[in-house]
């Protein structure tokens, strides 16, 4: 989980977005940033390791497809609770890692 989770929480808490709109906005930003970053990086002298990048792209596509199917089955406040639990778990592990 990266900064996108905090962005979703901020969109919900500060701007009063619905969960679906906040997640969709985050995904739109990621979709716009990814090709822009790739284009910037591809013009550099560093070559991209497509054998490494390919599995991540394939996994992201499969995850998006499965996520869409799961979203159709889960509605109401349940996704927000699941997101909150996941965010708290990540925060707990980050604090534990920093302390230990």
């Amino acid at each position: 989980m990266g900064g996108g989770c905090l962005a979703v929480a901020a969109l919900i808490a500060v701007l009063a977005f619905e969960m679906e709109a906040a997640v969709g906005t985050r995904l739109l930003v990621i979709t716009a940033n990814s090709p822009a970053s790739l284009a910037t990086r591809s013009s550099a002298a560093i070559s991209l390791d497509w054998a490494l990048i390919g599995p991540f792209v394939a996994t992201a596509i499969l995850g998006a497809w499965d996520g869409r199917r799961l979203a159709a089955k889960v509605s109401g406040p349940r996704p927000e609770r699941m997101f909150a639990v996941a965010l708290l778990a990540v925060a707990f592990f980050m604090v534990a890692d920093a302390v230990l």
Side-chain angles (χ1 to χ4, degrees):
M1 297 178 123
C5 291
L6 295 177
V8 169
L11 287 171
I12 292 170
V14 176
L15 299 177
F17 275 42
E18 295 291 326
M19 181 68 151
E20 294 83 9
V23 170
T25 301
R26 183 193 79 181
L27 293 175
L28 179 64
V29 170
I30 290 170
T31 302
N33 279 342
S34 295
S37 297
L38 183 61
T40 302
R41 187 101 167 142
S42 66
S43 66
I46 301 168
S47 64
L48 299 173
D49 185 1
W50 290 103
L52 177 67
I53 295 170
F56 284 100
V57 171
T59 302
I61 290 169
L62 290 173
W65 183 67
D66 284 344
R68 187 184 75 157
R69 288 183 351 161
L70 179 62
K73 295 177 182 177
V74 179
S75 63
R78 189 170 178 206
E80 292 177 16
R81 286 191 203 122
M82 291 167 46
F83 176 71
V85 168
L87 198 57
L88 286 172
V90 169
F92 172 77
F93 286 115
M94 288 178 69
V95 168
D97 185 49
V99 171
L100 301 174

